[in-house]
Amino acid sequence: MLKILFSAAILLMGGLGFTETALFGRFVIHTDGGRIGGLSAVHIGDDGSTIIAVSDRGMLMQGTISRDAEGQISGIAMGTPVSIENADLPGGLTNNDSEGIAVAPDGTIYVSFEGQHRVGKFANFGAAEQTLPVPREFEALQDNSSLEALAIDADGALYTIPERSGRYDRPFPVYRYKDGKWDQPYAIPRTGAYLMVGADFGPDGMLYVLERDFSGFGFYTRVRRLDLDAATAETILETGIGVHGNMEGISVWQTADSQVIMTLIADNNFRSILTNEIAEYRIDG
């Protein structure tokens, strides 16, 4: 079985082409007295006016986004966070360390967890969790560094990626849930000290992966765009230290005039020196 997984894996190498990515706007979601924080994943609705976020303390929250005439965020009204409920698991941060989010067109919400390594399905916002089958491969993942990124493709297949691969020279495995079964059809090369923290499929059908590095003094942010069919990858964003905070979530969507926007969200770790920052980039090419 292991040999089949390795032979089926595709190592995504550097691609060709040129993409221009320009900062479009920034906004900070207020903590509301500490009620809102630890935002580790984000989903922006197709029209850019709705937001669903997940906190790494087992909370889901949704809100409404206001935008100005140019489309930049002018305000965000967040609703009351809702606790993730799973009657089959004991409570606590370890089991409900929620890190990734993917939302299907019918409103079904999927969340990945790095405490109790799993992916949960929620029929709608506020529904109880239905845990998807847990493959044996998840049991070997590192504690506090497992299923950080989660995305859903146009056909409804789920893709999840652990934060760490286990070694600097080992690619990140990409696990896929399709037709009721898990497999590992892809692997993403690990370059530099970056860790995997988020993923989303864009309107172009390509997989955008968000990666983060921390120097001890500040954060670096990188986004790679992957064409899984062609087995290519292109770095479309790489910032210097401190340009952004602890970016952990990514959502790629399209405006009414077909402009592709990449929304990133930061985890403030519930610390006053960090913010719930949102940064949006226009992607051309």
Side-chain angles (χ1 to χ4, degrees):
M1 184 64 175
L2 184 62
K3 183 177 180 180
I4 295 174
L5 287 175
F6 274 114
S7 63
I10 295 176
L11 299 185
L12 300 166
M13 308 308 291
L16 301 176
F18 175 77
T19 300
E20 181 179 350
T21 306
L23 183 63
F24 178 52
R26 304 173 78 155
F27 190 83
V28 173
I29 300 176
H30 295 298
T31 63
D32 194 13
R35 185 175 65 105
I36 297 175
L39 305 180
S40 56
V42 65
H43 170 79
I44 303 295
D46 290 338
D47 59 359
S49 66
T50 58
I51 180 173
I52 301 177
V54 62
S55 164
D56 57 15
R57 294 191 179 180
M59 307 290 287
L60 279 170
M61 58 199 78
Q62 62 182 351
T64 301
I65 300 175
S66 301
R67 296 182 179 272
D68 61 22
E70 296 182 352
Q72 296 181 351
I73 298 175
S74 57
I76 298 180
M78 298 296 291
T80 301
V82 174
S83 295
I84 291 172
E85 300 293 341
N86 188 324
D88 297 326
L89 294 173
L93 178 60
T94 300
N95 285 335
N96 280 338
D97 189 351
S98 39
E99 295 290 345
I101 190 170
V103 181
D106 66 358
T108 302
I109 299 171
Y110 298 90
V111 176
S112 62
F113 298 83
E114 70 170 7
Q116 183 88 18
H117 314 311
R118 71 190 194 277
V119 174
K121 176 182 178 180
F122 304 82
N124 50 59
F125 186 85
E129 177 188 345
Q130 175 187 349
T131 303
L132 298 184
V134 180
R136 183 180 303 173
E137 289 80 5
F138 286 6
E139 298 175 3
L141 297 176
Q142 293 177 250
D143 290 338
N144 198 38
S145 298
S146 64
L147 304 180
E148 188 85 12
L150 183 67
I152 186 169
D153 70 13
D155 296 324
L158 293 168
Y159 298 73
T160 187
I161 312 168
E163 181 178 6
R164 296 177 185 272
S165 63
R167 289 202 315 257
Y168 281 110
D169 61 349
R170 177 183 296 164
F172 295 101
V174 180
Y175 300 106
R176 178 179 63 183
Y177 186 72
K178 182 178 181 180
D179 299 328
K181 297 179 180 179
W182 286 100
D183 63 359
Q184 193 239 305
Y186 308 107
I188 303 172
R190 185 169 175 175
T191 62
Y194 284 95
L195 300 178
M196 191 70 61
V197 289
D200 191 29
F201 281 94
D204 53 10
M206 289 195 271
L207 181 65
Y208 292 72
V209 294
L210 171 64
E211 297 168 293
R212 174 203 62 208
D213 186 21
F214 180 62
S215 70
F217 298 97
F219 296 93
Y220 298 88
T221 300
R222 183 172 73 183
V223 176
R224 287 190 280 173
R225 183 169 64 181
L226 316 177
D227 185 329
L228 298 180
D229 292 331
T232 60
E234 176 190 10
T235 298
I236 64 170
L237 176 68
E238 189 164 6
T239 71
I241 187 172
V243 172
H244 294 303
N246 183 24
M247 290 298 185
E248 286 204 2
I250 180 171
S251 182
V252 184
W253 53 282
Q254 195 169 43
T255 66
D257 60 357
S258 299
Q259 174 66 61
V260 177
I261 303 294
M262 179 172 68
T263 302
L264 309 178
I265 197 167
D267 178 355
N268 71 348
N269 291 326
F270 290 95
R271 296 181 179 179
S272 60
I273 60 173
L274 299 175
T275 64
N276 297 318
E277 176 193 1
I278 285 181
E280 294 193 313
Y281 284 85
R282 290 185 183 273
I283 301 174
D284 297 309

